[in-house]
């Protein structure tokens, strides 16, 4: 397990805290090297005492919960050794991640709360996070299929493939599983009831819910009983699907970023709403002209605006 560590030249820092960054890639691709163009400018701008980027193991070689546990091990190591090694105030740590990294951040903060871990995480930054696989027919999934098929990243098919692989399901051997999941044919009745209870689409802005002008309805499900049996326990497990945790109270302050052209838009917005409702200090920021993965295009103006917002929110919190 490797990490990439940044600390200010001459140890001149703006904060005695630390940032722990978890890269995206659907738990299937990505590395600290590929994210160097993201993390190095972040570290340089924030100038915290320590900035760590984690090279966690990936599927299909390492399945859930292996990548999540890798990230937790790094965090716990920093909690134990950050002060003695780098002078970090371990009460001043912010977890940050994009896409699958946002999934890990949400899951880790929930897991630490469940076991009353100390010291507590100061804040969490979720950038277009991946939070569930119980509904592949959200407004944002359907918008992508309708308007962006083959022209934008990340598409519904890739999202479903990566998430199924993370659960240990071989979609190459069973392509029919991916087709079923794209129609919600992988969701049993018990999971559907829980999903409908937790994922309240009425909280979404009107423009999210009316993109289709009433003409683009969910496709009929193509049930696959074998897939239901295999994926069912994952869909309701908050460690795999953080949005499915009923109680979101007493979690760290949160910045949740969503972008318009992204299948994950709706689940991020709903999670931000639920955090607020649970009493967690939460800022939801939506970039109307953004695309999934925009963090990896640092020269775009919209990306620079996003990075500036993440920096300002984080440094204000610290």
């Amino acid at each position: 397990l490797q990490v990439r560590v940044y600390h200010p030249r001459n140890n001149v820092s703006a904060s005695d805290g630390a940032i722990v960054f978890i890269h995206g890639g659907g738990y299937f691709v990505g590395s600290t090297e590929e994210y160097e163009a993201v993390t190095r400018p972040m570290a340089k701008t924030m100038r915290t005492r320590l900035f760590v980027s984690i090279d966690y193991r990936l599927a299909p070689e390492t399945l859930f919960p292996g990548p999540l546990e890798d990230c937790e091990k790094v965090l716990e190591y920093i909690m134990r050794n950050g002060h003695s090694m780098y002078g970090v105030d371990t009460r001043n740590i912010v977890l940050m991640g994009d896409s699958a990294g946002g999934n890990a951040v949400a899951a880790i903060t929930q897991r630490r709360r469940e076991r009353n871990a100390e010291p507590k995480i100061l804040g969490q930054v979720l950038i277009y996070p991946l939070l569930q696989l119980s509904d592949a027919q959200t407004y944002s999934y359907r918008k992508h299929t309708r308007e962006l098929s083959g022209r934008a990243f990340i598409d519904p098919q890739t999202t479903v493939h990566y998430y199924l692989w993370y659960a240990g399901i071989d979609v190459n051997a069973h392509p029919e599983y991916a087709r079923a999941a794209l129609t919600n044919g992988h969701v049993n009745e018990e999971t559907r009831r829980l999903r409908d209870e937790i994922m309240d689409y009425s909280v979404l802005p009107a423009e999210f819910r009316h993109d289709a002008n009433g003409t683009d309805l969910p496709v009929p499900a193509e049930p696959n009983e074998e897939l239901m049996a295999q994926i069912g326990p994952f869909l309701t497990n908050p460690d795999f699907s953080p949005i499915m945790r009923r109680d979101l109270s007493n979690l760290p302050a949160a910045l949740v970023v969503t972008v318009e052209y992204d299948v994950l838009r709706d689940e991020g917005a709903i999670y931000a709403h639920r955090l607020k409702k649970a009493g967690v200090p939460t800022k939801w920021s939506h970039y109307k002209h953004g695309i999934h993965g925009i963090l990896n295009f640092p020269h775009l103006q919209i990306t620079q605006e996003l990075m500036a917002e993440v920096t300002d929110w984080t440094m204000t919190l610290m």
Side-chain angles (χ1 to χ4, degrees):
L1 183 60
Q2 297 183 346
V3 298
R4 186 162 292 201
V5 177
Y6 309 84
H7 53 94
R9 187 171 295 163
N10 301 323
N11 208 32
V12 179
S13 57
S15 165
D16 61 0
I19 306 294
V20 179
F21 185 89
I22 306 173
H23 69 75
Y27 291 114
F28 197 82
V29 297
S31 68
T32 56
E33 178 64 30
E34 292 174 17
Y35 268 73
E36 174 74 359
V38 176
T39 53
R40 181 174 289 272
M42 273 188 172
K44 187 174 181 179
T45 302
M46 293 184 185
R47 288 175 46 236
T48 53
R49 190 66 55 85
L50 185 67
F51 190 112
V52 177
S53 178
I54 306 176
D55 234 347
Y56 56 88
R57 295 169 298 166
L58 300 172
E61 292 78 15
T62 303
L63 305 176
F64 170 83
L68 179 62
E69 293 173 342
D70 285 354
C71 296
E72 284 186 317
K73 287 177 183 177
V74 172
L75 176 62
E76 294 307 320
Y77 184 88
I78 295 169
M79 289 293 192
R80 290 194 308 271
N81 301 287
H83 181 71
S84 61
M85 293 179 66
Y86 292 99
V88 169
D89 182 347
T90 55
R91 299 166 302 177
N92 215 10
I93 292 177
V94 172
L95 279 183
M96 188 178 297
D98 72 309
S99 195
N103 174 287
V105 169
I108 289 170
T109 54
Q110 292 179 11
R111 282 158 64 100
R112 284 180 61 82
R113 185 208 61 183
E114 288 298 290
R115 63 177 186 267
N116 295 314
E118 294 287 346
K120 298 187 184 303
I121 297 297
L122 180 66
Q124 55 178 321
V125 178
L126 313 178
I127 303 172
Y128 34 78
L130 173 68
L131 298 168
Q132 59 88 33
L133 188 60
S134 61
D135 192 357
Q137 286 290 306
T138 65
Y139 291 104
S140 51
Y141 265 88
R142 289 171 6 228
K143 174 178 175 139
H144 196 294
T145 301
R146 182 181 70 253
E147 299 180 9
L148 304 170
S149 182
R151 296 193 297 276
F153 183 81
I154 183 172
D155 59 87
Q157 292 80 5
T158 303
T159 306
V160 165
H161 271 76
Y162 284 176
Y163 224 169
L164 289 176
W165 271 117
Y166 182 44
I169 296 172
D170 187 345
V171 287
N172 288 343
H174 295 279
E176 71 276 13
Y177 286 176
R179 292 195 296 270
L182 285 166
T183 68
N184 287 345
H186 64 310
V187 181
N188 62 33
E189 183 61 24
E190 181 182 356
T191 300
R192 187 192 64 77
R193 286 197 298 268
L194 177 61
R195 180 196 70 199
D196 291 348
E197 172 191 336
I198 285 177
M199 295 184 64
D200 181 4
Y201 293 103
S202 70
V203 306
L204 295 174
E207 59 267 27
F208 283 21
R209 292 180 280 117
H210 296 109
D211 282 342
N213 295 318
T215 61
D216 184 19
L217 302 175
V219 300
E222 299 177 13
N224 186 301
E225 298 293 337
E226 288 183 358
L227 181 58
M228 284 184 193
Q230 291 184 56
I231 196 66
F234 295 92
L235 299 182
T236 56
N237 182 348
D239 295 347
F240 185 85
S241 306
I243 203 170
M244 301 300 276
R245 190 175 294 278
R246 280 191 167 95
D247 180 12
L248 298 181
S249 63
N250 298 314
L251 290 171
L255 170 63
V256 181
V257 176
T258 57
V259 290
E260 181 68 16
Y261 301 102
D262 181 14
V263 297
L264 309 180
R265 178 197 67 183
D266 293 354
E267 58 204 72
I270 291 171
Y271 193 65
H273 175 84
R274 292 190 60 226
L275 286 170
K276 285 184 181 179
K277 188 175 180 180
V280 176
T282 302
K283 179 180 181 182
W284 171 47
S285 185
H286 181 65
Y287 286 76
K288 189 165 179 60
H289 301 291
I291 61 170
H292 190 92
I294 198 172
L295 206 60
N296 300 89
F297 299 90
H299 299 298
L300 296 179
Q301 180 179 344
I302 192 171
T303 306
Q304 293 169 11
E305 292 171 1
L306 190 160
M307 296 275 270
E309 179 175 23
V310 169
T311 299
D312 290 346
W313 184 89
T314 303
M315 300 314 293
T316 300
L317 187 66
M318 286 184 166

